[in-house]
Amino acid sequence: MKNITAVGVGYVGLITGVCFADLGNKVVCVDINEERIENLKQGLMPIYEPGLEELVTRNMQAGRLSFTTSYAEALADAEFVFIAVGTPEGVDGEADLQYVRMAARSIAEAMEHPLIIVNKSTVPVGTGDWVADIIREYRNNSVDFDVVSNPEFLREGAAISDFMYPDRVVLGSLNRDAAEKVAQLYLPLRATIMITDLRTAEMIKYASNAFLATRISFINEISNICEALGADVKEVATGMGYDQRIGHAFLDAGVGYGGSCFPKDVKALAYMAEIRGRHPQLLRAVMEINHYQRRAVVRKLEDALGGLRDKRIGLLGLAFKPNTDDMRESPSIHVARMLQSAGAHVRAYDPVAMKAAARMAPDVELAQDPYSLAEGCDALIVVTEWNEFKNLDLARIRDLMARPVLIDGRNIYDPATMKELGFYYRGVGRGYEDQGTQ
Ligand code: UDX
């Protein structure tokens, strides 16, 4: 049993803290946001993550997990301190490290005994050294410490299972002994543990996310070519995926990637390259294709309706992907803005992200379910592939709409079935587009 402190109770910090507690460690989570900490003490979660509430409650009751806003309290018995604060996108795509700086300084000022400081936040390559400089600058004595990079590979909506069953744990440090000590924490997971140097560990995170984003933009480019050549990109992706070197994952064409990671990390990696005189052609193309996919969906709608002014458009889904309430960089926000600037009236329904929508898309009228959303709409767009959208009574949806136009931004429906039902249906890359206007 080790004493672990997690700094930051967001997606990464809270999952890291509660999972290490569930593995039998004694964990204190610290955050400067008093409201979040008070809510967590009452068992109220700051994020929607399947299984999180039960895990937090169980480990708090077992006395393995506690929450505080005091760094002194949080570090009193700590052996390991995980920095898991946000690194939002800054100017020009550069990662904004103000929260990492604040956390590192607070740790330095409060630490009274040797600590292993573990960087879990996604930080630009070389930040590990920078954190060490901050600790040295602000520590009020010459207490010993080490910095280890331990990037996270958690997907929202699957974060707990991704922590408990990782494909690999990556650790990087200038002091291998410190990395080995952090590796001990992960032994119960029986996963592959890779130990390398600080910069390489930080780069593995960026390169992994950038590659996954590249796969998505690749299949989206193929989908656009499929529309010109009459091929079905879903079948193409399936056929490609049987090749063990390619695999089936992350080849779903659609309205593109969103979230708090891919957009930010691809931009940050491109920025790191450019300020060092390297031109990241591929990363630039990955971002450009992703932006195009949003515009393409709006163009398909414009083609279908012969114009967007005064049309009533319903968005099926707001979250950047299913099983999360997160709307950061969600395609729905960009699509809604483009439709509204073209004079359309936008409505939306999402099973979980309705609270986030009120904050992030305040001028989008919210419906209580897919059927009330469909009522009177000139068109619907599938933006998030929630399972409940895959089993809708589509005949009822069609009869509720002013026009039977559906743009399937996540290819969840079968084109032939939609045609039989009398829809004007357009997916992404689902063969030729020649259906005229409605
Ligand atoms: C991602 C990485 O998967 C994870 O390893 C990393 O730690 C954080 O970033 P996340 O952003 O939570 O996780 O979601 P993910 O499931 O990767 O999807 C990202 C975006 O890509 C979503 O908007 C999703 O809709 C989109 N996507 C995903 C596609 O458009 N096509 C696909 O085939 C897969």
Side-chain angles (χ1 to χ4, degrees), residues 152-156 205 209 212 216 250-252 256-258 261-262 320-321 410:
E152 52 86 12
F153 300 101
L154 308 178
R155 290 166 298 156
E156 290 185 28
K205 167 70 182 178
N209 268 7
L212 291 168
I216 294 166
F250 280 73
L251 283 180
D252 297 332
Y257 62 79
C261 296
F262 286 177
F320 81 93
K321 68 171 191 175
R410 293 293 186 187

Side-chain angles (χ1 to χ4, degrees), residues 61-80:
Q61 283 166 357
R64 288 193 296 266
L65 180 65
S66 61
F67 300 95
T68 179
T69 54
S70 155
Y71 272 87
E73 187 184 325
L75 297 182
D77 304 323
E79 300 163 83
F80 300 87

Side-chain angles (χ1 to χ4, degrees), residues 51-332:
L52 178 62
E53 187 167 344
E54 191 263 333
L55 218 51
V56 168
T57 307
R58 186 168 78 219
N59 283 284
M60 282 174 72
Q61 283 166 357
R64 288 193 296 266
L65 180 65
S66 61
F67 300 95
T68 179
T69 54
S70 155
Y71 272 87
E73 187 184 325
L75 297 182
D77 304 323
E79 300 163 83
F80 300 87
V81 187
F82 284 77
I83 297 178
V85 294
T87 52
E89 182 186 322
V91 178
D92 292 336
E94 180 182 16
D96 176 351
L97 297 178
Q98 62 171 308
Y99 303 111
V100 174
R101 172 190 294 276
M102 282 162 62
R105 175 171 179 171
S106 301
I107 290 166
E109 289 168 344
M111 73 187 198
E112 300 292 328
H113 57 264
L115 286 176
I116 292 180
I117 295 159
V118 187
N119 242 352
K120 208 144 205 10
S121 299
T122 303
V123 291
V125 178
T127 306
D129 305 332
W130 175 75
V131 166
D133 294 343
I134 292 173
I135 302 288
R136 268 190 286 278
E137 183 184 347
Y138 289 101
R139 63 181 170 178
N140 48 24
N141 44 45
S142 57
V143 167
D144 201 17
F145 70 94
D146 285 292
V147 174
V148 174
S149 167
N150 173 211
E152 52 86 12
F153 300 101
L154 308 178
R155 290 166 298 156
E156 290 185 28
I160 290 170
S161 57
D162 283 351
F163 185 100
M164 292 300 191
Y165 308 99
D167 290 339
R168 79 302 200 185
V169 175
V170 172
L171 300 170
S173 182
L174 300 175
N175 173 351
R176 187 172 180 90
D177 180 51
E180 296 281 4
K181 288 191 177 117
V182 178
Q184 297 292 318
L185 299 176
Y186 287 100
L187 287 185
L189 304 182
R190 292 187 176 74
T192 302
I193 298 178
M194 176 186 176
I195 296 182
T196 179
D197 64 83
L198 260 177
R199 287 170 175 262
T200 302
E202 290 159 348
M203 177 53 95
I204 289 170
K205 167 70 182 178
Y206 277 102
S208 299
N209 268 7
F211 182 72
L212 291 168
T214 301
R215 278 179 73 102
I216 294 166
S217 284
F218 173 82
I219 201 65
N220 280 331
E221 174 137 289
I222 294 298
S223 77
N224 294 319
I225 300 171
C226 281
E227 290 175 355
L229 299 175
D232 182 340
V233 74
K234 281 197 89 161
E235 297 288 294
V236 168
T238 302
M240 288 169 63
Y242 290 121
D243 183 321
Q244 296 298 317
R245 296 166 301 174
I246 299 173
H248 292 289
F250 280 73
L251 283 180
D252 297 332
V255 71
Y257 62 79
S260 64
C261 296
F262 286 177
K264 168 174 73 73
D265 293 352
V266 175
K267 259 189 201 170
L269 188 54
Y271 177 84
M272 284 181 244
E274 279 166 348
I275 60 167
R276 291 172 179 78
R278 301 286 192 273
H279 182 48
Q281 294 97 323
L282 185 58
L283 296 178
R284 285 278 161 230
V286 166
M287 292 186 274
E288 191 181 320
I289 292 166
N290 199 50
H291 287 308
Y292 173 81
Q293 290 306 100
R294 289 149 165 77
R295 290 196 295 271
V297 157
V298 173
R299 179 182 50 72
K300 289 175 200 269
L301 205 54
E302 197 149 21
D303 292 350
L305 299 175
L308 293 170
R309 181 154 300 288
D310 301 329
K311 298 295 189 304
R312 288 165 61 83
I313 313 296
L315 304 187
L316 279 168
L318 287 166
F320 81 93
K321 68 171 191 175
N323 301 320
T324 179
D325 63 349
D326 196 348
M327 281 182 61
R328 285 174 291 181
E329 289 294 321
S330 174
S332 61

